Amino acid sequence: MDILFRGGRVFTPDGVRETAVLVSGGRIAAVGAEGELARRAPSHETVDLAGGLLTPGFTDAHIHPVQAGLERAKCDLSEVYGLDAYLAAIDAYARRHPDKEWIDGGGWDMSAFPGGLPHRSQLDHLDRPVYLIQRDHHAAWVNGRALERAGITRDTPDPADGRIERDPDGTPSGVLHEGAMDLVGLLTPRPTPRDLDAALDDAQRHLFSLGVTGWQDAIVGSYAGSDDQLPTYLSAARQGRLRARVAGALWWDRTRGAEQIDELVARRAEAEGLDRFRAGSVKIMQDGITENFTAATLEPYCLCGGTGLSYVDPAKLREYVAELDRLGFQVHFHAIGERAVREALDSFEGTDPANRHHIAHLQIIEPSDVPRFAALGVTANLQPLWATHHAQMDELTLPYLGEPRSSWQYPFKDLLEHGTRLCAGSDWPVSDADPIQGMHVAVNRTEPGGSVHASYPTARTPFLPGQRLDLATAMAAYTSGSAWINRSPAGLVEPGRPADLVVLDRDPFALPPEEIWTTRVRMTFVDGEPVHQ
């Protein structure tokens, strides 16, 4: 059945317009006057926008849906905050699941603990090993039983790509950073194929409810105790359960070298011919995060010293990226610290912009590197929700970065003004998957009103307000920008495009900027069929 969307405005490539949209055969047939489109399709169904806004479906350019779905089914701490609330949720989960060998899950926030560090003793009252991944997925909180199960003692050395947090006497304290997570994480019960399928299905439903019709899974492989999701995506795509348009970023194992490239080529080939899933990206995590001092910086951290970690040797990195580029892979970097950003940009020298390489997170960029994105044809993959004043930023990040480095954070406007192409994502379950909340932060540089951090004393104080984006630019990053990164045919409301569309309950362009976050998704369509309403 043809569908006529009417009664509101539409976010088009030419801006926000008072117009109607006709969908036929799963594609956008025309954009124009309502009467003319109605005459063109006399038997159409009507969707009344009721004063809301019609947008392209959102594409999340950096997200972990399978992991998010698994965590939602385990001990999920992402909806509460603070030690007391965490312990109440953990104890309640333990009572509900007395037969589970492990208590595992995640979602805790570093800012809830002094110095960002919980302790094993807070979990030692439990009768089972506990493994809880930090919200950012760069650390895990474990109890004494988990440390014993893994054989971790004061004599256990730190792995090359991680750190075991220790008490003053050298005893492991119960926090495992980065590569050290695997010392316990790989011992936790493995999800079954049915568990992984259910996790993906649950995540897809949730994302559809937020208007997300496509995404790039930023780690398709085994990392931090998680299992390889490639078979899950292949199965869902072949069975028709995967309705979203998905690109998978194949994980670069940082403990190995160029010998893994042939394996990546073979893994890419497994997805050839699939309509909803492609595996043409490779994800390289070049550093960690600032809060545990593993983000790679040019100058030492204040107070504690050290310059973080470069997980892949920069000289070898250039060789690896050059070969991946020659083979037609898109390279998707994780880079938080300014040194990691520079190393990623250096590795892109001489590569083909047609491969659509991008760098995600970009927390700190040394100003002289900002123009290099456009010059090299590298897309900036933004996670806007992080660019606010919240406890983790004010209490853990700013004191250790110091000036001027603190003022180099999340320079969205500078990147745009230098001609950089932008895309955007959430990093869910690290942060909220709702693109509207991300747009709110990109425009306001303040916490959305419904955020768990909204009550923080400086949450409504703009964070580096000179780096704000306008709403049209932010929305384009979440639609056409991210669709372009994924090589998706969707992302724009124009004739011939797939009818991946979102109906918003109000027009955020008509709202005061501080109210953008109140916008909700009424309906989501994929190929003209409702997947959420």
Side-chain angles (χ1 to χ4, degrees):
M1 180 70 70
D2 295 338
I3 306 172
L4 181 65
F5 293 86
R6 57 161 303 280
R9 296 202 294 173
V10 181
F11 183 64
T12 75
D14 300 321
V16 180
R17 295 171 49 194
E18 193 87 36
T19 190
V21 174
L22 179 65
V23 168
S24 182
R27 293 191 170 268
I28 298 169
V31 178
E34 177 185 340
E36 177 185 338
L37 299 188
R39 288 190 294 273
R40 178 171 167 175
S43 62
H44 66 266
E45 291 183 356
T46 298
V47 173
D48 186 355
L49 302 179
L53 182 72
L54 183 70
T55 77
F58 305 127
T59 297
D60 192 309
H62 186 104
I63 191 171
H64 309 278
V66 179
Q67 187 64 30
L70 288 172
E71 289 184 16
R72 281 158 61 93
K74 295 181 180 180
C75 184
D76 184 9
L77 305 179
S78 63
E79 298 299 321
V80 298
Y81 181 80
L83 177 58
D84 291 344
Y86 293 153
L87 292 180
I90 294 165
D91 290 348
Y93 180 86
R95 288 192 299 270
R96 289 196 307 272
H97 301 282
D99 298 329
K100 285 189 176 290
E101 181 185 0
W102 284 71
I103 297 170
D104 61 339
W108 57 274
D109 196 310
M110 294 179 73
S111 63
F113 301 93
L117 298 172
H119 197 270
R120 67 179 189 280
S121 61
Q122 294 154 336
L123 301 173
D124 278 346
H125 65 284
L126 294 158
D127 61 355
R128 285 164 274 173
V130 180
Y131 179 81
L132 300 168
I133 298 173
Q134 176 227 3
R135 190 181 184 99
D136 286 356
H137 283 223
H138 289 269
W141 179 19
V142 301
N143 65 355
R145 285 179 174 80
L147 293 169
E148 291 169 8
R149 184 75 65 93
I152 299 173
T153 70
R154 70 180 64 194
D155 298 320
T156 303
D158 290 341
D161 61 345
R163 185 173 79 251
I164 301 168
E165 202 69 46
R166 302 173 193 270
D167 290 337
D169 66 356
T171 303
S173 69
V175 175
L176 307 173
H177 298 287
E178 306 294 342
M181 296 168 66
D182 280 348
L183 300 177
V184 171
L186 293 176
L187 303 178
T188 60
R190 299 294 86 197
T192 66
R194 179 175 293 182
D195 293 334
L196 292 164
D197 288 346
L200 177 57
D201 293 347
D202 174 61
Q204 180 174 242
R205 283 191 298 271
H206 180 65
L207 292 170
F208 283 161
S209 77
L210 301 174
V212 177
T213 58
W215 63 79
Q216 182 158 149
D217 190 314
I219 297 180
V220 176
S222 299
Y223 164 73
S226 66
D227 287 23
D228 182 15
Q229 306 93 335
L230 181 61
T232 305
Y233 277 115
L234 296 176
S235 173
R238 288 166 181 158
Q239 294 172 12
R241 291 186 295 107
L242 186 64
R243 302 288 304 281
R245 304 179 198 278
V246 178
L250 303 174
W251 176 243
W252 178 271
D253 185 343
R254 60 201 186 206
T255 68
R256 303 173 63 199
E259 73 278 2
Q260 66 188 290
I261 292 178
D262 287 344
E263 298 167 21
L264 294 171
V265 171
R267 284 166 65 78
R268 177 175 62 179
E270 291 187 64
E272 288 180 2
L274 295 177
D275 178 48
R276 296 289 154 162
F277 180 75
R278 55 184 300 276
S281 298
V282 172
K283 165 67 175 297
I284 300 177
M285 185 179 288
Q286 185 58 7
D287 69 344
I289 58 174
T290 59
E291 294 80 10
N292 66 9
F293 322 122
T294 56
T297 58
L298 292 170
E299 299 294 335
Y301 287 94
C302 301
L303 305 179
C304 66
T307 57
L309 302 174
S310 292
Y311 290 135
V312 182
D313 176 81
K316 294 184 181 298
L317 184 67
R318 293 188 185 208
E319 299 173 14
Y320 303 153
V321 170
E323 180 62 10
L324 292 169
D325 178 75
R326 186 187 70 79
L327 292 169
F329 279 105
Q330 174 190 88
V331 178
H332 176 166
F333 267 104
H334 162 119
I336 293 281
E338 73 272 21
R339 189 178 83 237
V341 173
R342 180 169 292 177
E343 289 166 354
L345 290 169
D346 288 348
S347 76
F348 285 137
E349 293 282 356
T351 59
D352 186 353
N355 287 327
R356 309 188 186 190
H357 304 307
H358 51 127
I359 306 176
H361 307 326
L362 301 169
Q363 180 170 348
I364 313 167
I365 307 179
E366 200 279 328
S368 68
D369 284 324
V370 171
R372 299 180 65 198
F373 284 80
L376 293 170
V378 174
T379 297
N381 188 333
L382 312 180
Q383 282 64 63
L385 273 174
W386 304 350
T388 69
H389 282 289
H390 50 274
Q392 188 162 311
M393 174 62 72
D394 288 7
E395 299 170 21
L396 298 178
T397 302
L398 296 178
Y400 289 101
L401 293 184
E403 292 296 348
R405 190 163 48 194
S406 289
S407 65
W408 299 344
Q409 294 187 83
Y410 306 115
F412 302 162
K413 186 69 174 296
D414 288 350
L415 288 163
L416 180 68
E417 289 183 344
H418 279 90
T420 306
R421 185 187 291 269
L422 305 180
C423 65
S426 65
D427 209 9
W428 185 56
V430 171
S431 45
D432 195 323
D434 185 353
I436 296 295
Q437 308 308 302
M439 293 178 212
H440 175 98
V441 175
V443 171
N444 292 281
R445 305 284 286 206
T446 60
E447 282 290 322
S451 162
V452 296
H453 300 295
S455 61
Y456 186 69
T458 57
R460 299 300 177 90
T461 300
F463 179 75
L464 301 174
Q467 297 299 337
R468 290 168 166 149
L469 299 176
D470 63 86
L471 180 56
T473 298
M475 188 170 286
Y478 277 98
T479 53
S480 56
S482 293
W484 184 86
I485 276 294
N486 269 13
R487 299 184 184 273
S488 166
L492 291 167
V493 178
E494 63 182 14
R497 299 277 183 174
D500 295 2
L501 300 168
V502 176
V503 177
L504 301 180
D505 69 347
R506 64 202 72 186
D507 182 351
F509 289 92
L511 297 175
E514 64 271 16
E515 295 180 11
I516 291 171
W517 71 273
T518 64
T519 306
R520 297 291 181 266
V521 170
R522 267 183 53 210
M523 304 177 74
T524 305
F525 295 79
V526 172
D527 289 328
E529 296 183 4
V531 292
H532 168 75
Q533 57 184 332

